[in-house]
Amino acid sequence: MFVALEPRRLYRQVAEQIRALIDTGELKPGSRLPPERELAERFSVSRPTVREALIVLEVEGRIQIRMGSGVYISSGPRQPGSVLANDDRGGPLEILQARCLIESGIAEEAARLVTPESIARIDLLLERMERSLDDASAALACDRDFHTTIADIIGNSALKHFTGLIYDTRMSPYFTKLASYFEGPHTWKLALEEHRVIRDAIAAGDPAAAREAMRRHLTLAQKRFSESFGEEPTRED
């Protein structure tokens, strides 16, 4: 029923195969999909790749994810076609990986060019974020401002603009749906603590430490978005 995949936007291919099985009736409304571990083995992909594919299908209305229970084929209304058809953006984990590579270098250079004024701006943002942990939209805005402010230290407007653009790819319905499962006051608190480590490394004028702090922050963010939906005990891929 399921076929192993070749590397190429794997989560899209997983979504396409499951979608086809739903549309042809091989997977019936109300039936439960195999656990993500089993799906990952059948498709020969990682479990985070399976989770990305499932989020796509949930946004389309083809499945329903029940945290702690499993993933079920939906009997309700669904979007025609695929939400991926007109969206060539990468998946959330792909985007976070790209940010990790790019923003680590930005933080490194920012540590070489930092000024007291730029640190004061960062400190104000961190104070604002601390007051916004229970407000998802405000915390998200603070998070974006933190990352673009670090890019702004370098004094390259194109780089700051690019940092904002790649951050804003998370505003898609797909990324928003994934965030609804894994983001909350606890994860924003973790992000704030990681931001403070980045801030301290930049303020100290330590490029290597700033690069590593940013790399660690975005790697941990990627891990937070890779958590299981909870229908079985988690284990490392």
Side-chain angles (χ1 to χ4, degrees):
M1 183 168 64
F2 299 104
V3 180
L5 302 172
E6 296 296 325
R8 180 188 60 81
R9 291 284 173 86
L10 292 179
Y11 78 96
R12 290 172 177 255
Q13 296 181 69
V14 172
E16 286 166 5
Q17 283 204 30
I18 297 175
R19 184 187 303 113
L21 294 170
I22 294 171
D23 289 346
T24 59
E26 189 167 344
L27 291 174
K28 306 292 185 185
S31 63
R32 185 181 184 275
L33 279 176
E36 62 186 37
R37 171 185 51 77
E38 187 176 335
L39 288 172
E41 290 171 355
R42 294 191 191 185
F43 286 118
S44 297
V45 299
S46 70
R47 289 170 70 172
T49 294
V50 170
R51 290 166 206 148
E52 287 189 295
L54 295 177
I55 288 294
V56 169
L57 295 170
E58 186 175 39
V59 170
E60 293 177 357
R62 285 177 164 81
I63 65 170
Q64 181 183 15
I65 297 169
R66 301 175 190 170
M67 293 292 282
S69 173
V71 180
Y72 297 83
I73 307 305
S74 177
S75 57
R78 63 185 62 166
Q79 292 190 19
S82 164
V83 297
L84 296 177
N86 298 311
D87 187 352
D88 195 41
R89 290 176 288 193
L93 303 183
E94 192 175 33
I95 290 166
L96 285 169
Q97 182 184 38
R99 288 185 59 201
C100 184
L101 293 170
I102 295 164
E103 293 192 48
S104 295
I106 290 173
E108 178 180 4
E109 187 64 15
R112 296 190 178 100
L113 301 171
V114 67
T115 65
E117 291 76 19
S118 55
I119 290 300
R121 288 175 59 201
I122 290 174
D123 286 343
L124 288 174
L125 284 171
L126 295 179
E127 291 172 9
R128 198 174 89 208
M129 187 171 185
E130 187 171 23
R131 297 192 299 269
S132 304
L133 299 180
D134 293 323
D135 183 337
S137 61
L140 188 64
C142 291
D143 188 47
R144 185 188 191 280
D145 289 346
F146 174 79
H147 287 276
T148 56
T149 297
I150 290 174
D152 198 34
I153 292 173
I154 298 174
N156 183 312
S157 59
L159 195 58
K160 180 183 178 182
H161 180 63
F162 178 77
T163 301
L165 282 178
I166 195 170
Y167 189 98
D168 289 344
T169 57
R170 65 163 292 157
M171 304 307 178
S172 69
Y174 174 34
F175 209 136
T176 300
K177 175 61 74 174
L178 185 62
S180 73
Y181 289 112
F182 301 119
E183 261 181 3
H186 174 65
T187 58
W188 284 122
K189 185 174 186 295
L190 292 174
L192 176 61
E193 292 168 358
E194 293 156 18
H195 284 180
R196 286 174 172 149
V197 176
I198 297 166
R199 177 265 181 214
D200 289 347
I202 292 174
D206 188 334
R211 182 183 187 91
E212 174 58 20
M214 183 66 79
R215 185 204 65 78
R216 182 175 182 274
H217 166 51
L218 292 172
T219 298
L220 289 172
Q222 187 172 356
K223 184 177 180 181
R224 288 191 281 271
F225 276 100
S226 299
E227 294 295 327
S228 170
F229 290 123
E231 82 278 16
E232 58 182 334
T234 59
R235 74 178 187 187
E236 293 297 323
D237 283 317

